[in-house]
Amino acid sequence: MEEKKFDLNSIIGFVLIFGILIWIMYQNQPSDKEIAAEKAKKELVAKQEAQSKTDKTKTVVLPVTAVTPGDTVQLAQLQKTLGGFAYSATLPSAKESFTTIENEKIKLKIANKGGYIVEATLKEFERFEKGSKQLVELIKDNNSNLNIQLQTTDNRTLNSKDLFFEPTLTKTGADQVLTMRLKAGANEFLEYKYVLKPNDYLVGFDVRSQGLNKVLNSSKPLDLQWDLKTYRNEKSISYENRYAEIYYSYEEGKESYVGQGSIKEETPEKVDYIAYKQHFFAAILQTNTSFEKAHLVSENLVKDEKIDTVFTKQFKASIPLAFSNGEVNYKMNWYFGPSDYKVLKSYDKNFEKIIPLGWGIFGWINRWIFIPLFGFLSSFIAYGIAIIIFTIIIKLAMSPITYKSFLSQAKMKVLRPEITELGEKFKKDPMKKQQETMKLYNKAGVNPMAGCIPALIQLPFMYASFQFFPSAFELRQKSFLWANDLSSFDSVIKLPFHIPLYGDHISLFPILAAIAIFFYMKMTSGDQQMAAPQQEGMPDMAKMMKIMIYVSPLMMLIFFNSYGAGLSLYNFISNLITIGIMFVIKNYIVDTDKIHAQIQENKLKEPKKQGKFQQRLQEVMEQQEAAKKQNKKK
């Protein structure tokens, strides 16, 4: 039998292992600060539970989940890393979770981490074609974030988007109130408060701080950063991208925009709201206390519309939030909803100014004529029929001007032989020819400008229509005949290839509009050539008109192929009606023989007193003639 011997190495090994275990147990003992933090957490939970039982406003407190040992970080280490906001990371809300608030119109999802909206869904609208069952989501899949940069008193920079907020959801009457607090202590916090009312697109949004004057450096404003990468929501990404824009209100009621381009920037001051507008939807941040300034950036994300088909623009805003008495307190609102003129105007915050209706008289025509008239018609008849009736009313209202224009052309046509005769007589003296021509006009009682003025009066209405129809939210996903969406192109044939400037489809309404323009110009070009005498040194008007007869329809065909069908329908009907009006005026109202007789009779009368314009023109001609003679003498 083997004798047992004393093994010194084994004894030393056991002693070392025992010593290590004792050291580990000592090191894992909770510190005084950890014990204090755990105690504060338990007191907070007990306080919340007691409040939820006694709160007379029926406050709904979100359930508090216990933090596992692995989620707890030493408070001393957190304070060193995160400044005074270490307290927030020890709360039960310090985990990836969300709170949802919604009403009949919108659904918002707010994250604990960062305390901002991570999903904004419009419950009444669908993407692309109607029936797709894909609701419009302005915010989803991290395409947006809201961040406040916090400068601590020990010169550290913290980002609110990386820190956890504690949510508390309450109901005050029918309103839902979600309070998100980023805590630095039991009574020190940064707070976001969301208030959602029933049946509303507007969300109250307050940002305030409490007791953070010892934690944050209040000598400089906080930097609020709001980014949004806009999703495509319409059939034509190029058409939608054309109307995706940052608008802003500044200096108590002025409105402007950043502009289109690869990258555009603006830094306005005294800003009241910032609107990230897509074609038919918008996200707007509005403040009751004006921001001192804002740095705005718009970046175009559609470099190639065959490849870049998901997003349209990247919008960014950097906004300083000023301290007042050591704290931040801003009462603001979010708007997530349609870019509908009537809806935006109902909030009485100048939101409707983000609709591009045109400046000056063009905007006036749209606001006071087109919008009320079309709104009235579309309230009781189908939208396609409403466009046709709307066009008929506008063209009939303009028919007296059309008549004046055509009458002037007819008079000029009658005088054309005599003007040609004067041209031959004073062929070597252009100035004398002009003077005699003006005398002829005066004797005959014909104003050569009478044909231009009516045409100029109609131009604002034509330009206003180019602004109105692309902005008309009512036309979105409304069908008429073969067009399933009057706000987008009415494709009837899908091409297997892409034609530069034209696209990969064929729209029918632009073709009809181009044909109508061709026949209209064919009808009027002859009269215009006859009415306008050829001037020396001027381009051949006959050749120019012949070129325009073909160029104008071609431009309509190419550029309107990807435009909204509603605008092409309006142009088609407008030109058809104009052709009809011109036909009636030419064949049944204007009598060329009577006009000729009237002009001859006018010649026998005393010449009418020249208007100021004609007098001034006559004086200029006489001065030029005198100067010419004086130069010859020298």
Side-chain angles (χ1 to χ4, degrees):
M1 188 173 183
E2 186 178 353
E3 183 180 356
K4 292 183 180 180
K5 296 183 179 178
F6 179 75
D7 189 351
L8 182 61
N9 292 332
S10 297
I11 294 174
I12 294 171
F14 281 119
V15 170
L16 289 174
I17 292 172
F18 181 79
I20 291 171
L21 290 174
I22 294 295
W23 182 82
I24 290 174
M25 291 174 63
Y26 177 80
Q27 288 296 320
N28 285 332
Q29 232 181 357
S31 65
D32 294 339
K33 292 182 178 179
E34 286 178 314
I35 294 170
E38 186 66 17
K39 183 179 179 182
K41 182 185 72 175
K42 291 179 179 179
E43 289 176 353
L44 178 63
V45 172
K47 184 178 178 182
Q48 288 180 335
E49 290 176 347
Q51 183 180 357
S52 65
K53 293 178 181 179
T54 58
D55 193 349
K56 295 181 180 179
T57 61
K58 298 183 180 179
T59 299
V60 181
V61 181
L62 295 179
V64 179
T65 305
V67 182
T68 62
D71 294 329
T72 304
V73 185
Q74 291 188 8
L75 186 59
Q77 183 181 351
L78 279 170
Q79 286 176 330
K80 184 178 179 182
T81 307
L82 303 177
F85 290 94
Y87 186 78
S88 65
T90 67
L91 295 173
S93 58
K95 56 190 175 69
E96 296 281 358
S97 62
F98 309 89
T99 305
T100 299
I101 56 176
E102 61 182 307
N103 59 18
E104 298 84 351
K105 295 184 178 296
I106 59 176
K107 179 180 179 181
L108 305 176
K109 186 177 178 182
I110 297 94
N112 283 10
K113 188 175 182 180
Y116 61 90
I117 298 170
V118 293
E119 288 185 13
T121 305
L122 304 184
K123 300 167 74 171
E124 298 178 315
F125 306 105
E126 296 176 356
R127 299 180 67 236
F128 298 108
E129 298 179 4
K130 188 177 180 181
S132 65
K133 303 303 181 184
Q134 295 180 9
L135 294 177
V136 170
E137 295 175 282
L138 300 184
I139 300 176
K140 67 171 183 176
D141 298 337
N142 300 315
N143 73 317
S144 176
N145 73 72
L146 183 77
N147 179 54
I148 295 181
Q149 282 196 339
L150 307 168
Q151 301 293 330
T152 65
T153 53
D154 58 351
N155 295 323
R156 298 178 186 275
T157 300
L158 307 178
N159 291 303
S160 65
K161 66 179 181 179
D162 298 326
L163 302 176
F164 290 90
F165 287 65
E166 182 183 4
T168 303
L169 180 61
T170 65
K171 289 186 178 180
T172 304
D175 298 347
Q176 301 172 64
V177 181
L178 176 61
T179 302
M180 307 291 293
R181 286 185 176 178
L182 173 61
K183 292 194 171 185
N187 295 306
E188 295 92 34
F189 53 82
L190 175 69
E191 179 184 271
Y192 297 164
K193 185 166 75 172
Y194 300 87
V195 180
L196 181 61
K197 297 180 179 179
N199 203 38
D200 202 349
Y201 295 110
L202 202 67
V203 184
F205 179 62
D206 297 348
V207 175
R208 74 181 185 97
S209 65
Q210 178 175 302
L212 297 183
N213 52 337
K214 294 181 180 180
V215 178
L216 298 180
N217 181 2
S218 59
S219 62
K220 294 189 297 183
L222 298 180
D223 185 18
L224 173 66
Q225 300 164 346
W226 176 34
D227 302 342
L228 179 65
K229 198 174 181 181
T230 56
Y231 277 104
R232 170 192 182 184
N233 285 308
E234 310 304 328
K235 185 163 63 173
S236 172
I237 191 167
S238 60
Y239 196 49
E240 180 178 7
N241 194 40
R242 186 181 297 123
Y243 294 98
E245 183 68 86
I246 299 180
Y247 286 85
Y248 56 90
S249 175
Y250 67 108
E251 294 180 3
E252 298 181 353
K254 296 180 183 178
E255 280 78 27
S256 189
Y257 54 93
V258 172
Q260 299 285 336
S262 180
I263 296 181
K264 292 289 184 178
E265 300 182 39
E266 290 288 343
T267 308
E269 298 181 349
K270 303 294 182 183
V271 178
D272 298 317
Y273 70 68
I274 298 166
Y276 291 168
K277 180 185 177 295
Q278 297 170 242
H279 189 180
F280 287 123
F281 301 97
I284 306 174
L285 178 61
Q286 178 266 334
T287 176
N288 295 341
T289 303
S290 298
F291 304 130
E292 283 300 314
K293 64 179 180 179
H295 181 66
L296 309 175
V297 180
S298 174
E299 180 183 356
N300 181 28
L301 300 179
V302 183
K303 311 298 182 183
D304 185 344
E305 60 184 70
K306 292 182 291 184
I307 302 172
D308 305 322
T309 59
V310 179
F311 300 100
T312 56
K313 295 281 175 64
Q314 172 71 68
F315 295 141
K316 296 181 179 180
S318 180
I319 308 162
L321 300 182
F323 283 89
S324 177
N325 298 322
E327 301 290 357
V328 168
N329 192 355
Y330 278 82
K331 291 188 177 298
M332 299 182 282
N333 291 289
W334 289 109
Y335 174 87
F336 298 103
S339 298
D340 185 328
Y341 183 86
K342 294 177 183 176
V343 173
L344 293 171
K345 189 174 176 61
S346 68
Y347 289 104
D348 196 26
K349 297 180 182 295
N350 290 328
F351 288 167
E352 72 276 7
K353 298 294 181 66
I354 72 171
I355 307 297
L357 297 177
W359 54 272
I361 189 172
F362 313 117
W364 187 91
I365 290 170
N366 276 323
R367 289 184 181 90
W368 300 106
I369 299 177
F370 283 9
I371 289 176
L373 177 59
F374 188 76
F376 169 73
L377 294 173
S378 60
S379 65
F380 60 90
I381 54 179
Y383 284 91
I385 302 299
I387 291 176
I388 294 174
I389 296 176
F390 171 84
T391 311
I392 292 171
I393 293 173
I394 296 297
K395 296 306 292 185
L396 288 179
M398 303 296 289
S399 59
I401 297 174
T402 305
Y403 170 74
K404 288 278 187 183
S405 179
F406 189 82
L407 183 61
S408 177
Q409 289 180 16
K411 288 180 179 181
M412 295 290 290
K413 183 179 178 182
V414 170
L415 286 176
R416 178 66 187 268
E418 296 182 52
I419 294 171
T420 303
E421 186 179 337
L422 288 174
E424 290 296 324
K425 185 177 180 179
F426 300 103
K427 189 174 184 179
K428 296 183 179 180
D429 192 347
M431 187 63 67
K432 185 66 175 176
K433 184 185 75 171
Q434 289 289 347
Q435 291 174 345
E436 292 300 320
T437 301
M438 292 301 295
K439 288 180 181 178
L440 176 62
Y441 287 151
N442 191 35
K443 284 182 180 179
V446 174
N447 185 354
M449 298 298 294
C452 300
I453 294 173
L456 291 174
I457 292 174
Q458 295 183 72
L459 279 177
F461 286 84
M462 182 183 72
Y463 181 79
S465 70
F466 279 82
Q467 297 292 109
F468 170 72
F469 283 100
S471 300
F473 183 85
E474 303 95 316
L475 298 181
R476 185 178 187 270
Q477 296 184 349
K478 299 300 188 299
S479 60
F480 179 66
L481 298 178
W482 57 85
N484 55 19
D485 187 349
L486 286 169
S487 71
S488 190
F489 57 82
D490 57 311
S491 175
V492 291
I493 298 176
K494 178 70 174 178
L495 300 175
F497 48 83
H498 186 275
I499 303 174
L501 298 178
Y502 189 71
D504 59 357
H505 63 275
I506 297 177
S507 298
L508 185 52
F509 276 130
I511 294 174
L512 297 176
I515 293 171
I517 287 176
F518 175 80
F519 282 105
Y520 166 70
M521 297 194 72
K522 196 81 172 173
M523 175 187 288
T524 58
S525 61
D527 293 330
Q528 290 173 351
Q529 291 172 34
M530 290 294 292
Q534 181 65 33
Q535 302 292 331
E536 263 186 58
M538 296 293 288
D540 190 334
M541 293 301 295
K543 288 183 180 179
M544 288 184 64
M545 288 305 299
K546 285 180 180 178
I547 293 173
M548 289 304 296
I549 288 174
Y550 297 98
V551 170
S552 295
L554 184 62
M555 290 176 64
M556 167 65 75
L557 196 64
I558 293 174
F559 293 108
F560 276 64
N561 190 58
S562 294
Y563 270 59
L567 180 59
S568 298
L569 173 61
Y570 171 82
N571 279 281
F572 170 54
I573 300 299
S574 177
N575 283 293
L576 277 185
I577 295 170
T578 304
I579 290 171
I581 291 174
M582 293 291 287
F583 179 82
V584 172
I585 291 174
K586 185 175 182 178
N587 293 279
Y588 298 101
I589 298 178
V590 173
D591 189 328
T592 306
D593 294 334
K594 286 184 179 181
I595 291 174
H596 184 269
Q598 184 65 48
I599 288 176
Q600 299 307 316
E601 185 181 334
N602 289 341
K603 288 181 181 180
L604 301 176
K605 297 178 182 179
E606 285 290 327
K608 289 184 179 180
K609 186 178 179 180
Q610 291 182 332
K612 290 183 179 180
F613 175 79
Q614 289 178 313
Q615 288 178 358
R616 182 59 182 161
L617 187 60
Q618 185 71 24
E619 289 172 4
V620 170
M621 288 180 180
E622 290 173 355
Q623 290 171 4
Q624 289 177 344
E625 183 68 18
K628 186 178 179 181
K629 289 179 180 179
Q630 189 68 27
N631 290 332
K632 284 183 178 179
K633 289 179 181 180
K634 293 180 180 179

